[in-house]
Amino acid sequence: MSIDVAREQNMNDQIPFAAFSEAEHRARIAKARERLAAAGLDGCIIVAPENLFYLVGYDSVCASICPQALILSVHDDRDPTLLVRNLDLPLVKETSWLKNVRTYQLFVDDVATVVAEIAHDYGIANGRLGLDMQSPAVTGSYTNALAQALGGAKFDDVSQLLNWIQLVKSPAEIDFMREAARYANLGLEAARRTLQPGISEIALCAAVENAARQAGSDYPALPIECASGSRSAAGHATPMPKIIGSGELVHLEFAGVARRYHSVSMITMATGEPGVGARKLYDVGRESLVAGLEKCRPGAQVADIDIAARKPIERAGLDEAAQMRFGVGIGLAYPPIWLSALQLDRFSDGILAPGMTFYVHSWLSLPQDRLGVMLGGTYLVTDTGIETLSGAGPEELYIA
């Protein structure tokens, strides 16, 4: 073992819950600086918890509770400075290698003023600054306070820029994605095993979540989606105390999580024969999913994938039932969302590349018939194609 490797191993031993090596984080910071410089920025104030985790390893939900910030200079080689509430300092020390950490006392110190002081120290306070403004952690009041403290600064939104550098996963990140997929697939097995007429949606979801969490899954960025019977036409439905009857469709969407990396499973099942209309809707959804997946490969234009997935739906005359984009990037995430900047739809110009992870779905809804189906899962782009990570995918309708 080399001296450098031994030194880094010793450092990681002192950080009990570090997910990645310091070297990997430093490479990410260098990439962020390169992209920020290319965008003409002098520095950046980073608030979103997923970006803090990605760049310096700090793992905490506190960004949505208390103001915090990572101040990064593009032209100064010094490490960035992380500002957190004083009671959260132990969380930094157990997950991050970063030594430039400052704290504040809630209701005593003015957070925006402290950020401005740090920015002045880096010489970027009067420069062009970025802010990840699409994060729910960046509230309007916090943005206004930062702008005022920095002398009326106007920020460039760097949410997409910071997310795009995360799209291609490192080998260590892919390991976490595979671990998350294992948890998601255990949840899938529990759903098939547990579903029966007479069970409530809440009880079904409890079995799914319990299977994943008992195996080691972290908490997901979104609650489990579940809808049955007359509710199945609705998307983004959370479970209700509804009793699932016989001959009903039931669809679920949920994630397994490993160190904040998400892998999503989706499935539509039925409690007995659901009827001709439900069967037809499911079969069209399955054909759509197959058609889209066949176009997913390295170098593929995301617009071509979405267009291919819609053709079976159009042939069936169900255009109005297709209320989805075909896919979305997935990976590192915190509540309240797990979507990334990668959108697999006909309005986007993205290209799939090896190392990207995404989830796809065929989501069809007929509100007038009170029917809806959801099929899909999570995939990894390899050098030659795609690898299934989690989800039922385009399987035949599962009948409990």
Side-chain angles (χ1 to χ4, degrees):
M1 181 182 293
S2 70
I3 294 176
D4 288 341
V5 171
R7 184 182 296 116
E8 182 161 308
Q9 181 64 53
N10 182 57
M11 180 173 289
N12 283 341
D13 289 343
Q14 298 173 27
I15 308 169
F17 300 112
F20 302 99
S21 69
E22 178 181 342
E24 180 157 347
H25 284 295
R26 289 191 178 280
R28 295 172 181 179
I29 291 172
K31 186 188 297 184
R33 280 193 169 117
E34 179 183 340
R35 296 293 181 88
L36 291 166
L41 296 167
D42 297 298
C44 195
I45 298 172
I46 302 165
V47 179
E50 61 271 17
N51 294 332
L52 300 184
F53 182 92
Y54 184 77
L55 293 173
V56 298
Y58 175 44
D59 183 4
S60 170
V61 297
C62 299
S64 298
I65 303 170
C66 308
Q68 57 189 34
L70 182 73
I71 298 88
L72 175 69
S73 171
V74 169
H75 308 297
D76 191 324
D77 290 336
R78 285 182 293 169
D79 288 341
T81 294
L82 178 64
L83 176 66
V84 298
R85 186 177 169 187
N86 49 11
L87 63 80
D88 297 324
L89 182 59
L91 303 178
V92 179
K93 292 182 176 181
E94 71 179 14
T95 56
S96 177
W97 51 271
L98 189 66
K99 296 296 184 287
N100 290 351
V101 183
R102 290 186 58 176
T103 63
Y104 68 87
Q105 175 67 45
L106 189 66
F107 303 130
V108 174
D109 299 314
D110 186 279
V111 178
T113 298
V114 179
V115 172
E117 291 173 357
I118 298 170
H120 276 289
D121 178 58
Y122 283 110
I124 60 174
N126 298 316
R128 186 177 166 199
L129 297 176
L131 179 66
D132 42 359
M133 299 174 69
Q134 293 180 39
S135 170
V138 183
T139 62
S141 60
Y142 191 24
T143 302
N144 289 338
L146 289 171
Q148 184 174 355
L150 287 161
K154 293 184 178 180
F155 301 108
D156 285 34
D157 184 5
V158 293
S159 301
Q160 297 290 335
L161 183 154
L162 293 173
N163 191 257
W164 274 101
I165 66 175
Q166 301 177 34
L167 293 186
V168 174
K169 308 294 188 294
S170 70
E173 290 178 289
I174 291 172
D175 286 344
F176 283 131
M177 289 297 299
R178 289 200 171 103
E179 182 183 346
R182 182 173 71 85
Y183 302 143
N185 287 330
L186 287 172
L188 205 62
E189 292 174 10
R192 295 189 183 105
R193 185 172 60 247
T194 306
L195 180 63
Q196 60 181 340
I199 193 173
S200 71
E201 291 178 353
I202 289 177
L204 174 62
C205 291
V208 171
E209 294 186 36
N210 183 64
R213 294 303 296 270
Q214 286 282 2
S217 178
D218 200 353
Y219 65 92
L222 282 167
I224 188 169
E225 186 276 347
C226 175
S228 66
S230 60
R231 298 188 70 228
S232 67
H236 305 142
T238 52
M240 292 291 175
K242 172 189 176 297
I243 302 302
I244 300 171
S246 298
E248 291 189 346
L249 291 177
V250 184
H251 53 72
L252 298 101
E253 176 183 3
F254 54 91
V257 188
R259 293 313 303 267
R260 306 314 314 148
Y261 284 81
H262 289 58
S263 187
V264 177
S265 277
M266 299 177 194
I267 189 171
T268 294
M269 304 176 289
T271 50
E273 180 54 48
V276 175
R279 277 279 186 180
K280 177 185 176 182
L281 191 65
Y282 185 90
D283 289 344
V284 173
R286 182 171 178 269
E287 189 179 354
S288 166
L289 184 60
V290 170
L293 289 173
E294 287 177 347
K295 290 290 184 179
C296 291
R297 59 183 181 274
Q301 299 276 348
V302 296
D304 294 339
I305 297 170
D306 188 53
I307 290 169
R310 295 183 68 84
K311 287 182 178 178
I313 300 170
E314 293 166 355
R315 285 197 299 267
L318 291 172
D319 304 52
E320 293 184 1
Q323 301 174 5
M324 82 284 187
R325 55 200 156 189
F326 185 65
V328 183
I330 189 75
L332 174 58
Y334 284 81
I337 196 168
W338 63 40
L339 308 182
S340 86
L342 178 66
Q343 304 289 313
L344 278 69
D345 61 58
R346 60 196 180 282
F347 308 109
S348 301
D349 57 2
I351 298 175
L352 294 188
M356 287 183 175
T357 51
F358 61 90
Y359 71 96
V360 296
H361 50 25
S362 180
W363 159 242
L364 301 177
S365 173
L366 295 174
Q368 67 277 18
D369 297 327
R370 307 174 88 179
L371 293 174
V373 298
M374 178 188 295
L375 300 84
T378 301
Y379 298 83
L380 165 69
V381 183
T382 67
D383 291 333
T384 57
I386 58 171
E387 173 189 333
T388 302
L389 294 179
S390 63
E395 68 174 15
E396 296 288 342
L397 179 63
Y398 180 85
I399 306 291

